[in-house]
Amino acid sequence: MNQNKIDLRGTLHVTDWLSGIKYAPGEEVPIVQVLFKNTRSAFYRNPDHLPLRKGDWVAVEAQPGHDIGQVMLTGPLVRLQMKKANVGADAEMKRIFRKASEADLEKFHEARAREHETMIRSRQIAAELGLNMKIGDVEYQGDGAKAIFYYIADERVDFRKLIRILADTFKIRIEMKQIGARQEAGRIGGIGPCGRPLCCSSWMSKFVSVGTGAARVQDLSMNPLKLAGQCGKLKCCLNFETDAYAEASRQLPPRDAVLITQDAEYYQFKTDILARTVTYSTDKHLAANLVTIPASRAFEIIRINKQGGKVEQLEAEKPKVEPAKEYVELVGQDSLTRFDKSGRAKKKRRNKGGAEPQPKPEQSAKKSGDSKAASRQQPEQRQPKEKQRQNADRQEQRRPEGPRPKQGPRPQPKPKDKNPKEKQPKERPANAEQPQEVNQRPQRDRQQRHPNPGQRKKQAPKPDNKQNEA
């Protein structure tokens, strides 16, 4: 077996922070604490002043024979542990024989291998005798000459007959030792609700009584299913943080303090000790209009109430905080399909002269929103803008001064009028005078004036040629 391996049990209970320091010959302490199976430990004298270190296996005096254990603590700290265990310096102690040899360790492991089989057989014998007891564990001595049977019983048990049967069966010396539920859980071991090995089986060597006051100080619900451990008793870990909770609770306002505001009175409903916040209710027994405030605000309101004043509300006015600038992720705004070609996109065609392509009649009608113009649109190619401006200038030069004469209707068919209620233009009488210049104007000038007859404004209808001849 590796002698350098150190058993971790008891290392968190006491730490040898003086290990490695050389002491003066007069200050050496000839007492060593030795750890055995699970949490059993004892103090032994070192009369031969053997150079022992933490983790060494030693052969110690037993009754009868010898036992094998591991050194747990050496040096001046042993006296502090003796004082804590109420063991005087003048008390009778057994001594350490020697460091364990290979033969001692081999015999020790052979005895350990028989412990489980012995425990199962002893339980069967106790059940046959009808004894109201439970054998929880068996520990063999280092030399295999003695075994300790740990049992649990609610009542007093007469096990004299059991001892005789066990001695005849296993041919060893029998010792019966009663333990409690906590010691049983520590010897058997297991996993706690926290997910770690049980403290009583991993590092605790002594058990301290746990009361319900520890749960009340920590403001825990008095639910026995949650507060009890695997042994059926209150969890040992309730004592670990009791002092911290007791100190933190002193920084909270008293439970019977009543906070008075202009609207109502508030009573303490619950507290969060670690967060140092208090929740108040307008009803003593029910949760009504709950308001949670920090402890500092509660002390401030109590001080104001003692001076005879009242606050408007329990919560303090929060300072205005400017909204933080939002983080804009420009990469996330881009669409994944921004590089895909749209199926509706069409290539623009340009004329040879460099003019832009003319939109289709349907598209121009949709853009203008004029349904009448769309119906009159013809699929004629428009002229460039420069030519349209030149034609417009020529028309202005040729146009005579004075009011524009009314012209008659053209021979082409009239477009359907969507609004039949509109008044149609009246025909002029046959004897109406027409200026000769307009009648003699060639047809080519009228085409230049209105290159796109579909977009021409409505004009008064022209009189017939027959009427003009008359």
Side-chain angles (χ1 to χ4, degrees), residues 37 111-119 137-140:
K37 184 180 179 181
R112 280 283 184 92
R114 293 184 292 168
E115 289 178 353
H116 184 71
E117 183 181 354
T118 303
M119 182 184 65
D137 193 14
V138 177
E139 181 181 354
Y140 269 89

Side-chain angles (χ1 to χ4, degrees), residues 36 79 93 114 120 127 137 156 184 194 269-270 273 308 328 368 400 414 445:
F36 299 95
R79 293 192 182 276
M93 298 180 187
R114 293 184 292 168
I120 299 300
D137 193 14
R156 183 165 180 169
E184 180 193 15
C194 59
F269 182 72
K270 66 177 181 179
I273 299 176
V328 180
S368 62
K414 297 181 181 180
D445 295 343

Side-chain angles (χ1 to χ4, degrees), residues 90 162 334:
D90 299 335
L162 176 64
D334 295 338

